[in-house]
């Protein structure tokens, strides 16, 4: 049972994690990582144990109850005839036979214990669901605060964070207290009833022995079996309670396991697999609001076309939705109206997995690295890449120089989320990672923002190599970095308000792009 339990826990974890990583990005906007981690780590153990170790206890107790009752009846049958005929009424007319003792045991312990056990089980189920939620909140708080430990330290908020963690752990403690009270009430009540009946059996059984209607041996065996039955019913109640606890903890787990993404096929492997792509992109009348903020429309009819092989910059004020263009193109979300096409095909009909794996590469605004070596981070999208390919991607991303300066070179450990790398180094590793896939469409979200002027110049210099033979979308904040763009798309109020080449737009006196440039120069 223990082995089966461990196997169940392993399978539950794997299946739930597999389902979670395939969820839409919206799911991660709605759920906090700490909660998911806690469900995977703690809830799976409660559920696994409740259906295995607990079942073994339940089976043992069930068998003991059945056999014990059978033996009681057996003791009874051997005496039944004489008991019923000769001692049906004893002395002063009291109803005292072994049958009566059985009835006494059965009637006075089992039904009340059964009713109390059902009630106790329900309480445990509710408390268990609440405890698992409270436990997930403690993990959430710990995870978030430790993730941001540098901010916590910089603002000297260690005490406050310890206090907020303690508040959450206290909620778990209070629920555990409730569970303890419920357990103590149930088991002490059941124990008291059991002892009372045991005394009653001894008292009446003693009288029967004294009267010679049963032998001391009969009473002893009967007493032994009834104790077995009593204990096993207590055990069965405990089993039921633990089962209910498992059910309480499982509700959220099964919801996580069964939850299906909203964006059908966001990470599924169905749909068209585009093999020969030119890299033409079209946004047509796209309307969009983030699902978690559906009243704030980001796009209200966004339309633009990017021809294959061009280097396009998307510009606009902060919060105008530039990064959202990338998120829609990667199909992290679907537009509420309108469509996005790649080579004339609506991306909703493409195989999302294939599209992201073979057609596109993305350098996010804040590149995070996995806690492993530089090599593994760069080869993340193409684990079979050769050393030569990795070096070549690094050269184009202007990353080779600094990587080679590390004593361990490509084997240097990048730290959790890349903390052991500078912002500029992380960005160049992320650019190299994107280039290694040799994508037809490269999306760079403010990819050079963390670079110092000289590194940025070096990356800009290699831009001609980076863009060669592919469509590049640069989501630009610093307008100085987009002079090489073939085409600029200016986004404002959810629409495209201007398009054109850099020189052309800069010269438009009253143009939106010109305003952006002027605003940036004067700041
Ligand atoms: N996951 C999200 N859920 C809800 N709202 C979001 C989400 N991501 C972004 N937003 C909101 O959408 C709007 C557009 O954000 P976006 O990141 O696209 O802007 P941006 O133009 O790239 O800004 P910046 O140049 O400052 O990075 C903002 O108002 C932002 O608050």
């Amino acid at each position: 049972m223990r082995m089966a339990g461990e196997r169940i826990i392993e399978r539950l974890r794997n299946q739930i994690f597999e389902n979670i990583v395939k969820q839409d990005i919206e799911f991660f906007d709605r759920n906090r990582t700490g909660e998911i981690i806690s469900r995977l780590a703690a809830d799976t153990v409660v559920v696994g144990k409740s259906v295995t170790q607990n079942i073994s206890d339940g089976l043992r107790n069930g068998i003991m109850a059945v056999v014990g009752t059978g033996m009681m009846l057996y003791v009874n049958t051997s005496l039944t005839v004489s008991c019923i005929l000769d001692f049906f009424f004893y002395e002063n007319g009291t109803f005292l036979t072994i049958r009566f003792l059985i009835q006494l045991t059965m009637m006075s312990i089992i039904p009340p214990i059964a009713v109390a056990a059902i009630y106790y089980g329900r309480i445990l189920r509710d408390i268990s669901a609440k405890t698992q939620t409270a436990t997930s909140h403690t993990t959430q708080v710990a995870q978030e605060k430790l993730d941001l430990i540098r901010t916590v330290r910089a603002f000297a908020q260690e005490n406050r964070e310890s206090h907020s963690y303690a508040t959450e752990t206290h909620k778990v403690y209070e629920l555990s207290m409730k569970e303890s009270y419920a357990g103590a009430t149930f088991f002490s009540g059941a124990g008291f009833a059991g002892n009372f009946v045991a005394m009653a059996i001894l008292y009446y059984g003693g009288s029967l022995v004294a009267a010679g209607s049963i032998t001391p041996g009969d009473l002893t065996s009967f007493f032994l079996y009834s104790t077995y039955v009593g204990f096993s019913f207590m055990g069965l109640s405990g089993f039921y309670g633990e089962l209910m606890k498992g059910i309480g903890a499982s509700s959220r787990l099964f919801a996580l396991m069964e939850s299906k993404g909203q964006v059908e096929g966001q990470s599924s492997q169905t749909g068209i697999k585009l093999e020969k792509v030119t890299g033409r992109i079209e946004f047509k009348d796209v309307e969009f609001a983030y699902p978690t903020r559906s009243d704030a429309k980001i796009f209200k009819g966004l339309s633009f076309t990017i021809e294959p092989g061009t280097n396009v910059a998307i510009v606009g004020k902060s919060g105008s939705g530039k990064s959202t263009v990338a998120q829609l193109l990667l199909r992290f979300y679907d537009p509420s109206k309108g469509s996005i096409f790649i080579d004339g095909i609506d991306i909703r009909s493409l195989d999302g997995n294939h599209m992201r794996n073979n057609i596109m590469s993305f350098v996010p605004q804040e590149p995070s690295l996995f806690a492993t070596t530089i090599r593994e981070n760069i080869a993340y999208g193409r684990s079979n890449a050769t050393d030569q390919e990795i070096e070549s991607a690094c050269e184009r991303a202007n990353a080779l120089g600094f990587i080679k300066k590390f004593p361990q070179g490509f084997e240097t450990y990048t730290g959790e989320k890349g903390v052991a790398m500078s912002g500029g180094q992380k960005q160049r590793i992320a650019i190299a990672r994107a280039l290694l896939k040799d994508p037809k469409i490269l999306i760079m979200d403010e990819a050079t923002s963390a670079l110092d002027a000289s590194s940025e110049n070096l990356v800009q210099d290699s831009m001609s190599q980076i863009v060669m033979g592919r469509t590049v979308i640069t989501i630009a904040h610093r307008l100085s970095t987009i002079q090489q763009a073939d085409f600029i798309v200016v986004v404002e109020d959810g629409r495209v308000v201007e398009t054109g080449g850099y020189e052309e737009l800069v010269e438009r006196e009253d143009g939106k792009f010109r305003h952006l440039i002027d605003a940036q120069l004067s700041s």
Side-chain angles (χ1 to χ4, degrees), residues 232-307:
S232 54
F233 270 92
M234 291 274 275
L236 279 177
S237 313
F239 155 73
Y240 180 71
E242 287 296 312
L243 201 64
M244 287 291 120
K245 233 169 119 171
I247 289 174
S250 70
S251 53
R252 183 81 182 109
L253 269 192
F254 289 124
L256 281 180
M257 194 141 76
E258 280 158 16
S259 131
K260 292 271 175 282
Q262 298 290 315
V263 180
E264 277 300 319
Q266 190 176 93
S267 67
S268 79
Q269 291 171 22
T270 54
I272 304 167
K273 291 181 172 61
L274 279 182
E275 290 307 336
K276 286 214 161 119
V277 185
T278 64
R280 186 176 192 275
I281 297 166
E282 186 183 357
F283 274 61
K284 198 169 176 197
D285 301 324
V286 167
E287 290 190 15
F288 177 71
Y290 280 98
T292 48
R293 227 182 269 159
S294 50
D295 48 347
K297 262 200 176 171
I298 311 291
F299 298 134
K300 306 163 189 160
L302 187 82
S303 299
F304 62 87
T305 306
I306 300 174
E307 293 304 332

Side-chain angles (χ1 to χ4, degrees), residues 137-413:
H137 288 162
T138 57
T139 318
Q140 240 170 52
V141 170
Q143 188 248 346
E144 191 187 9
K145 308 306 176 191
L146 295 178
D147 252 8
L148 296 178
I149 189 66
R150 286 166 182 78
T151 311
V152 173
R153 179 69 45 88
F155 285 81
Q157 295 299 313
E158 291 92 336
N159 289 340
R160 173 181 157 174
E161 299 311 351
S162 301
H163 180 72
S164 68
Y165 185 70
T167 311
E168 295 302 328
T169 50
H170 190 70
K171 288 179 191 159
V172 179
Y173 166 80
E174 278 178 337
L175 284 164
S176 310
M177 284 302 105
K178 273 191 189 164
E179 188 184 325
S180 305
Y181 282 130
T185 311
F186 172 72
F187 284 107
S188 60
F192 179 77
N195 282 323
F196 178 79
V197 171
M199 284 196 296
I201 289 173
L202 284 180
Y203 177 75
Y204 288 117
S207 328
L208 285 173
V209 172
S213 52
I214 58 172
T215 66
D218 289 332
L219 178 64
T220 313
S221 14
F222 179 81
F223 185 70
L224 205 69
Y225 297 135
S226 63
T227 320
Y228 264 155
V229 174
F231 276 123
S232 54
F233 270 92
M234 291 274 275
L236 279 177
S237 313
F239 155 73
Y240 180 71
E242 287 296 312
L243 201 64
M244 287 291 120
K245 233 169 119 171
I247 289 174
S250 70
S251 53
R252 183 81 182 109
L253 269 192
F254 289 124
L256 281 180
M257 194 141 76
E258 280 158 16
S259 131
K260 292 271 175 282
Q262 298 290 315
V263 180
E264 277 300 319
Q266 190 176 93
S267 67
S268 79
Q269 291 171 22
T270 54
I272 304 167
K273 291 181 172 61
L274 279 182
E275 290 307 336
K276 286 214 161 119
V277 185
T278 64
R280 186 176 192 275
I281 297 166
E282 186 183 357
F283 274 61
K284 198 169 176 197
D285 301 324
V286 167
E287 290 190 15
F288 177 71
Y290 280 98
T292 48
R293 227 182 269 159
S294 50
D295 48 347
K297 262 200 176 171
I298 311 291
F299 298 134
K300 306 163 189 160
L302 187 82
S303 299
F304 62 87
T305 306
I306 300 174
E307 293 304 332
T310 44
N311 175 12
V312 172
I314 313 267
V315 300
K317 290 184 191 144
S318 174
S320 56
K322 301 182 295 291
S323 301
T324 309
V325 169
Q327 310 242 5
L328 292 180
L329 189 54
L330 285 156
R331 213 176 158 217
F332 288 174
Y333 305 90
D334 272 348
S336 47
K337 275 197 188 143
S339 303
I340 300 163
F341 302 92
I342 292 179
D343 281 11
I345 298 178
D346 191 327
I347 59 170
R348 276 177 287 218
S349 51
L350 295 181
D351 174 327
N353 210 290
H354 179 267
M355 176 183 87
R356 281 182 288 268
N357 211 4
N358 299 286
I359 302 175
M360 296 178 179
S361 254
F362 178 50
V363 183
Q365 193 167 12
E366 289 157 18
S368 279
L369 303 182
F370 295 99
T372 175
T373 61
I374 293 180
R375 178 189 304 280
E376 282 192 33
N377 267 295
I378 294 175
Y380 187 64
R382 261 193 68 199
S383 46
N384 59 352
T386 62
D387 287 356
Q388 211 181 356
E389 287 170 325
I390 292 177
E391 286 201 12
S392 152
C394 288
E395 206 163 358
R396 278 178 290 154
N398 186 28
L400 199 56
F402 82 83
I403 295 173
K404 288 218 157 151
K405 275 193 196 146
F406 286 128
Q408 288 167 297
F410 279 97
E411 303 312 317
T412 308
Y413 178 65

